[in-house]
Structures are given as C-alpha cells and as structure tokens.
Amino acid sequence: MQNKFIRNFSIIAHIDHGKSTLADRLIQETNSITDREMKDRLLDNMDLEKERGITIKAQTVRIEYKAKDGNTYYLNLIDTPGHVDFSYEVSRSLASCEGALLVVDASQGVEAQTLANVYMALENDLEILPVLNKIDLPHADVAKVKDEIEEVVGVEAQDAPLVSAKSGIGVSDLLERIIESFPAPTGDSDNALQALIFDSWFDSYRGVVVLVRVFEGTLKVKDEIYFKHSDKSYEIIKLAIHNPFYKEVNELSAGEVGVIICGIKTIRDVKIGDTIIHKKKKDTPSLAGYEEVKPMVFCGIFPVVSDEYEELKEALEKLALNDSSFTYEAETSGALGLGFRCGFLGLLHMSIIQERLEREFDLNLISTAPSVSYKVLTKSGEEMMIDNPSDLPDMAEVESISEPMVEISIHVPNDYVGPIITLCEKRRGIQQNINYITKERVQVVYYLPLSEMVFDFYDQLKSITKGYASMDYEFKDYMVSKLVKLDILINTEPVDALSLICHDSTAYPKGRDLSQKLRKIIDRQQFDIAIQAAVGNKIIARETVKALRKNVLAKCYGGDVSRKRKLLEKQKAGKKRMKMVGNVEIPQEAFLAVLKVDE
C-alpha cells in the first residue's frame, strides 16, 4: 500500500462533545459496516463505557474511502477518551498519528480538556483540524465558537467543517477535508523495521494481542521479530486490522496500524511504548516511545476472601497490559491481609479499574481510602516518598512533610465565578489568575493541594455550577505544609486501612465526622465498641457503638434485689470478657466513608 493513500488521525475533544458519535458516522458514511451491524458507540466495546456514556480506552479502526479525486484512501482513525483521568490514552494515540480532529461542541464552546488535548497534539507536531459539532442544536452559536477557538486555542477556525455527528450533516465533506488537511505518513516499506507498540490486551485463545503503528519497514506473517525492551524474539502467527471488525491480512507496511499475534503467553514480555524490529537486525535504533506515567492517586486493593490473592495478582497483570497507566505493588495490611497498593491517574480512573477487576475477573474486592504521594524529610536528612499513611515515620522524627500541588484550570460561565472562588479557597487554594475568555465565559486558575482535589472536588464543582464547569489540572511541585497523620482506633486498636494524612486545620472536623459515620456503619456487638480519632497520642474525637443488651432480669418477677444485682454483675463480666476476645467486622462502607467526610 502506498503511503500517499494513508491518513492516520485521532479524534480529540472535551468529554461529551461527540467524539464517539462522530467516529460512528465516519464509519457509516464510508459503508465500512452494514446497517444491520451498526449500533451506537460502536467503538466503545466495554459494558462500562456504554453504561457510563464515556470512552475509557482509545480504539482504532481502519476505514476505506473513495474520494472525489477517484482514489481510494485508507483512514486509520483513533477515537480517544475525553476525561482528564484518561489523558495518557490520548497522549499514546497522538504519538501514532499525523493529524488530529479537534471536535468542539457548537453549543458549549472551548472547554478545559479541549485546551489540554490541543497542547498535547501540538507537542507531537500534529496537524490540527477544528470541527464544530452539534450545529443543529437550537442554542448552537457557530460564529461565536469559531472566534473562541481562534482566540483561546490559537488555531485558524473560520473555514472549520460544520457537522452534526448525530444526524450526519457535513460528514461527507469532513472526509474530503481530512484527506486534504492531514499529511500522509512518512517512512519507507523497504527500510529496516521499526514498529511502535501503542496498545495490547490479553486474549484467552490468542495470548497477548499487540496493536502497533509501523513507522518503517514491513511486517509479514512468519517473520521473526524482536521486542527491544524485554529482549525476546517471537514468530508472527497472524497479522490483522480492525475495519471495524477483526480481519486478517498478510502484511503491514510503513504508515499502517494493525494487530500482531505471536502466541505470547508471558505478559511481561510486552511493554507499551516498546519498539519491534526484525530479529536479524537487532542494531536498529528504538523509537521514542512514551513518557513513564506518574500516578497521582493511590489506594490499597484487597480481596474480600484472602484465598483470592493469586487471582487478584493475575488479574492486575492482565489489566496492566491493557491499561499501562496504573501501577501496583504488593502490600500487607493488619486489618485487611494481603493485597496491592495501586497508583492511578485520578479518582474516576481508580473507580473504573476496581469495577473492571470485579466484572472482568469475577473478584470481590475492598479498596481503602485514596491518598496522594507525600515527600517526607526526616530529622536525619533522609528524604522519602510516602503514599501509604501507615508508612509514615513517627512524627517526632519528621522534619517536614511536603504535599503535591496542582495547577487547576476551571472554565465556567461568568455567573458562577463567586462560588468557584469560595470552593477553591475552602480547599486551601492559592489564586493564580482569572481570564475572561469571552463576555460569558471565564477561566479561573488556582494552585491547589492535590489531596484536597482527590476527594469530592469534581462533584462539588459540578454541583455548584449546575454542571456547566469543566476542569483540567497538571502537577506543578511539592510544597511544605503542616500535615498530620489521623489514625482511627476501633477498641483502642488502630485500623491502618482507615488512616489518612491531612492538614492540621482539618484534622479535628475530619476525625469527628469520620467517627460519627463509622458509628452508624459498624454493626452493634454484644459489647460496647469505642471508635476514636487520634493525632499522635492525642484523642480528638470519640463515638461509641452501644452494646446489644439482653434483658437478664426478665425472668425475675420479684424477690430480693441482690439476686438481680448478681445477674447484672454476671452479665457485665461476660461482656468484659467478650470485649477482650471479640472481633469487630469493618464493612466496605467504612472505607468508602473516608471519601465522603466532607459531605
């Protein structure tokens, strides 16, 4: 296949601006699929994606289009997620393309994630084609949004294609613009092989399935290939493309995107961002690959039944193959037993991973409260990174604790600026800038502790702005703060899974609220259960779950008071003994309660 007839491009946008619907229309317009096979959100193949109405995994599809110039073009399209937590998926997709369709909702205009995705595309030297979607909505304002794109994004938009992905308006013209605007891939099929792994997943029958973009050379069935990172060689059993369904091919040449199947059973042999070359030419240089992802949010994941530990370990390995943006390492908890400490890009990412583990691998899991990674400097001069509160050294040995700070950019209608500023100030934010993008829309920029954003900041933001606000954030630096470790004690025994690191000013209200919540959640026993919140050796809040009390005097219908006292004393002694040996079961809701302390 000649390079000049190939176009590799990605669809990027803010969440809910119509990326997946536009991908559906492009597939339908090129007759790549019959009407009987067509369904909404065709490329979102996970149940979770369909239920939540969001794209979680970037999906690739090859479509054939006969252009007005009489030539048939092969378009490799990648539909990407729009939520800030999945920006790593977007960055990987962009590294495999020459162009990007920037989809902007004509009724909403430029949002926070729109800007973030544009900057990512510009870093990859991509050609950007802005597309105005949803032009048939009654409150769409095409002229205003074109001006906004030019002013805020800095991309020429006066002749941007106008489409309605839902009804199909303007989609055929958009296909012509894609061919005109985006450059054909460079590379020569006669050169030494260089193919970039940009996705992979585990198939029970085929082993590890590898998705690659071929930059140089040609891949053929039965070729011996070499994975540079893992130093392993394999023979290609099958090559395939998605158009949009799995279709086997004999070769993939420079500029193409496709699937390699080698019967790989060892998951660790495949690393996303690795370069594949021919076995006989091991001195071929590697491609640039991807930046190592830095997790922002950490939590412990434990099996409810300790016998499922090995199944959880295997499930995490398989899932990490499909989503390399989360990390995991073994961890032991006094309260929950053996499990894993996992790092995620955000709260939604954490929720999705846990749900995928439970659904796809049929596991029953408990997750601890999310935390962030702190930089701790001890009095001896040692610097350590702590993402688990139970690993924090004794406070007497700590010189200072620094917390991660993020720069958060919020795009919001003018009417809601006051509530946004109040919310950010309440979360210990430092105001950086307020930009009036248009008369109606404002960009509010704050410097905010990541720990304050991790919990329910996004929910609160959407609530106070009636869903109109959008946000994007990036990590900036660590800043020294007055932080303390808040411990939760159940019957004087600390529960490590409920500990958290928080600011000194919020320790008392958080400890009090958490104790009150746990009192309602923990089931009553035959003895009193003391729930205490402590900072160091100081108890700052206490609640008691009262004992279930059997009326031992019911059988007494009179008689001497000493008999009644004797029965009560006997009951009291029994309860005391039970308290010494009794275990308190802590339900999953208790760990989730930590998330909702601020409500």
Side-chain angles (χ1 to χ4, degrees), residues 37 105 202 354 358 403 434 511:
E37 292 169 320
D105 187 329
F202 189 83
Q354 187 178 350
E358 290 179 339
E403 62 183 334
I434 296 181

Side-chain angles (χ1 to χ4, degrees), residues 8-25:
N8 296 316
F9 67 97
S10 191
I11 305 184
I12 56 175
H14 187 76
I15 193 167
D16 279 341
H17 278 211
K19 296 177 303 301
S20 298
T21 314
L22 182 59
D24 287 351
R25 289 297 83 75

Side-chain angles (χ1 to χ4, degrees), residues 197-253:
I197 301 175
F198 74 95
D199 204 358
S200 59
W201 59 92
F202 189 83
D203 185 287
S204 304
Y205 302 102
R206 300 182 178 120
V208 180
V209 179
V210 182
L211 188 62
V212 297
R213 157 74 201 270
V214 184
F215 280 89
E216 298 284 353
T218 306
L219 281 164
K220 293 180 181 174
V221 175
K222 296 200 173 175
D223 274 1
E224 287 272 338
I225 55 171
Y226 175 69
F227 291 76
K228 294 203 82 171
H229 180 267
S230 57
D231 191 24
K232 291 288 171 74
S233 300
Y234 286 98
E235 184 184 302
I236 298 175
I237 299 170
K238 288 176 184 175
L239 291 170
I241 57 167
H242 289 120
N243 73 336
F245 304 117
Y246 178 89
K247 179 187 174 185
E248 288 186 18
V249 293
N250 290 322
E251 66 173 58
L252 292 171
S253 56

Side-chain angles (χ1 to χ4, degrees), residues 262-281:
C262 302
I264 302 168
K265 293 289 184 280
T266 309
I267 291 169
R268 292 183 193 86
D269 286 359
V270 177
K271 178 176 167 48
I272 288 175
D274 192 10
T275 303
I276 294 176
I277 57 173
H278 277 130
K279 187 182 175 183
K280 291 177 182 174
K281 297 182 179 177

Side-chain angles (χ1 to χ4, degrees), residues 40 140 190 233 298 300 332 350 503:
D40 281 345
D190 296 328
S233 300
F298 298 84
T332 308
M350 174 182 127
H503 194 263

Side-chain angles (χ1 to χ4, degrees), residues 431-491:
Q431 193 180 115
Q432 299 294 297
N433 210 346
I434 296 181
N435 301 320
Y436 281 81
I437 297 166
T438 65
K439 288 178 183 176
E440 293 87 22
R441 290 187 68 76
V442 182
Q443 181 192 31
V444 181
V445 182
Y446 260 85
Y447 208 41
L448 202 73
L450 179 62
S451 57
E452 295 288 346
M453 205 197 73
V454 155
F455 287 92
D456 59 348
F457 184 85
Y458 189 68
D459 295 342
Q460 295 274 344
L461 181 70
K462 286 290 183 186
S463 176
I464 63 174
T465 61
K466 298 180 182 172
Y468 284 111
S470 66
M471 67 170 239
D472 181 47
Y473 64 89
E474 62 172 320
F475 170 73
K476 280 294 175 188
D477 204 357
Y478 282 87
M479 191 168 87
V480 175
S481 294
K482 195 176 180 185
L483 300 167
V484 293
K485 181 185 174 189
L486 178 66
D487 283 312
I488 298 297
L489 290 77
I490 308 285
N491 277 350

Side-chain angles (χ1 to χ4, degrees), residues 298-302 331 336 339-342 344 366-370:
F298 298 84
C299 86
I301 292 182
F302 298 84
E331 177 187 43
L336 300 170
F340 292 90
R341 188 82 184 161
C342 301
F344 310 94
I366 285 181
S367 61
T368 63

Side-chain angles (χ1 to χ4, degrees), residues 349-361:
H349 189 210
M350 174 182 127
S351 159
I352 293 291
I353 292 292
Q354 187 178 350
E355 207 161 332
R356 285 186 69 187
L357 285 168
E358 290 179 339
R359 285 189 184 201
E360 294 174 25
F361 302 97

